[in-house]
Amino acid sequence: MNTTAIVVRETGGPDVLTPAEIDVPDAPGPGQVLVDVAYAGVNYMDVYGRDGTYPQRLPWVPGGEGSGRVVAVGADVTGVRPGDRVAWEGVPGSYAARLVAPADRLLPVPDALTDARAAALPLQGLTAHYLATDSYAIRPGDTVLVHAGAGGAGLLLTQIAKILGATVLTTVSTPEKAEISRAAGADHVLGYDDFDVRARELTDGRGVHAVYDGVGRATFDRSLEAVRRRGTLVLFGGSSGPVPPVDPMRLSKGGSLFLTRPTLRHFTDDRDEYLSRYRDLLAWIAEERLHLRIHAEYPLAEAARAHRDISGRATVGKLLLRP
């Protein structure tokens, strides 16, 4: 069976994202599910795969997140049936109209959640959840700094940090993004030029309990300066580029600091943990304590436009592709 997808045949800029017809099995195998894709989420890891930062076997279909409806299930699949609405993260090849997914990566979508919102939630929502509850477990009264506070992950992380009882500082690049970050609950919105100094000023010189840094190279050194003694720097991405090797003595000299570089899969490999985190997110959404912001929905054929937007920091919230 053929389906439309975005195919990368050589690494490079956004223009290497080419619409094409690919073959998808007519029937899923054992433990697999065939899904009609409603929306695919656009994420920085897709950009890193496209430009070669994260090497892929070519030709390659980008995307690992989305939502859709089950068409058929393979042998040994329980808990999901044809017609069910599902969402996912960690399923390769999601920039497509149809795909085969492992059943254990699918998440049930409640009736109250639209297909677009369901696709906007898994990767960044689950990332924000594990960052705030595990990488550095926020406690009531903590002060934390969230970089890129108006981005998809930053908006969700800010809200979850507030739910957990923190005072939240964020960084943004424009006045418009500052207003959006404040609307998400940020107590103090900072610029990138002096965020380390301002973080110290706002904490009476002590520094913050944790910095959540998905920017990487451009912010890393000053993120360390913003952390208080025995505080934690959580480096979970590198939108400005990878961080150079770090001398561990910097952590000692900075005040016995903790540095961690987590990745989502290590916090969702277990099916029960995966579902537990997802249920927390759904509960906060139902209680209207957690809000999803979708920046734009583009046709699948305009994947290159989506990559230009996300790379150029022209987005506020989530970008989606619609087959």
Side-chain angles (χ1 to χ4, degrees):
M1 171 195 318
N2 283 347
T3 193
T4 303
I6 298 297
V7 179
V8 174
R9 293 186 171 84
E10 60 179 352
T11 58
D15 290 339
V16 304
L17 298 166
T18 307
E21 293 294 308
I22 64 169
D23 184 60
V24 175
D26 291 332
Q32 296 181 328
V33 174
L34 183 64
V35 180
D36 276 336
V37 179
Y39 290 92
V42 179
N43 298 291
Y44 273 107
M45 65 178 59
D46 308 338
V47 175
Y48 300 150
R50 184 210 76 217
D51 68 14
T53 302
Y54 293 169
Q56 306 291 334
R57 178 177 295 179
L58 302 178
W60 172 66
V61 177
E65 175 187 43
S67 68
R69 191 174 294 272
V70 174
V71 177
V73 301
D76 304 322
V77 172
T78 60
V80 62
R81 298 174 298 179
D84 285 353
R85 295 173 62 230
V86 292
W88 60 86
E89 67 79 26
V91 177
S94 292
Y95 285 19
R98 179 170 278 195
L99 59 74
V100 172
D104 63 1
R105 297 311 295 173
L106 298 181
L107 299 162
V109 176
D111 292 340
L113 207 61
T114 65
D115 287 337
R117 295 174 75 214
L121 178 62
L123 192 144
Q124 290 171 337
L126 291 165
T127 296
H129 188 285
Y130 88 75
L131 291 174
T133 61
D134 280 281
S135 294
Y136 174 79
I138 293 173
R139 297 160 294 189
D142 283 351
T143 300
V144 301
L145 171 61
V146 177
H147 282 309
L155 288 169
L156 294 173
L157 183 51
T158 296
Q159 294 174 75
I160 292 173
K162 293 301 297 181
I163 290 170
L164 298 175
T167 296
V168 181
L169 287 57
T170 64
T171 54
V172 299
S173 57
T174 69
E176 294 76 17
K177 289 183 177 182
E179 290 305 310
I180 291 166
S181 183
R182 289 189 186 96
D187 297 283
H188 304 279
V189 181
L190 315 177
Y192 283 100
D193 291 340
D194 62 349
F195 70 82
D196 52 333
V197 176
R198 294 285 293 126
R200 290 279 175 179
E201 291 174 350
L202 290 166
T203 55
D204 297 324
R206 292 188 296 272
V208 298
H209 292 85
V211 175
Y212 296 99
D213 190 339
V215 177
R217 181 187 294 269
T219 52
F220 180 80
D221 288 329
R222 284 176 298 137
S223 291
L224 279 177
E225 294 296 325
V227 178
R228 69 176 55 198
R229 183 178 298 179
R230 293 164 55 185
T232 301
L233 172 52
V234 182
L235 181 68
F236 68 97
S239 61
S240 68
V243 173
V246 179
D247 180 356
M249 285 304 296
R250 289 187 63 187
L251 306 179
S252 174
K253 293 175 181 177
S256 297
L257 307 181
F258 295 88
L259 170 64
T260 181
R261 180 53 173 95
T263 190
L264 175 59
R265 179 50 64 93
H266 298 150
F267 295 84
T268 58
D269 263 342
D270 179 81
R271 175 71 178 172
D272 289 339
E273 183 177 14
Y274 189 42
L275 290 174
S276 176
R277 295 186 188 281
Y278 182 64
R279 283 193 289 265
D280 281 349
L281 297 172
L282 292 180
W284 290 331
I285 290 171
E287 295 164 0
E288 298 188 349
R289 303 172 74 191
L290 185 66
H291 302 274
L292 300 169
R293 184 183 181 97
I294 295 174
H295 176 81
E297 302 173 11
Y298 295 156
L300 184 65
E302 296 183 19
R305 177 186 176 191
H307 275 223
R308 290 189 187 97
D309 284 356
I310 195 171
S311 298
R313 298 188 181 182
T315 61
V316 177
K318 189 72 177 186
L319 264 179
L320 300 175
L321 296 175
R322 184 181 62 253

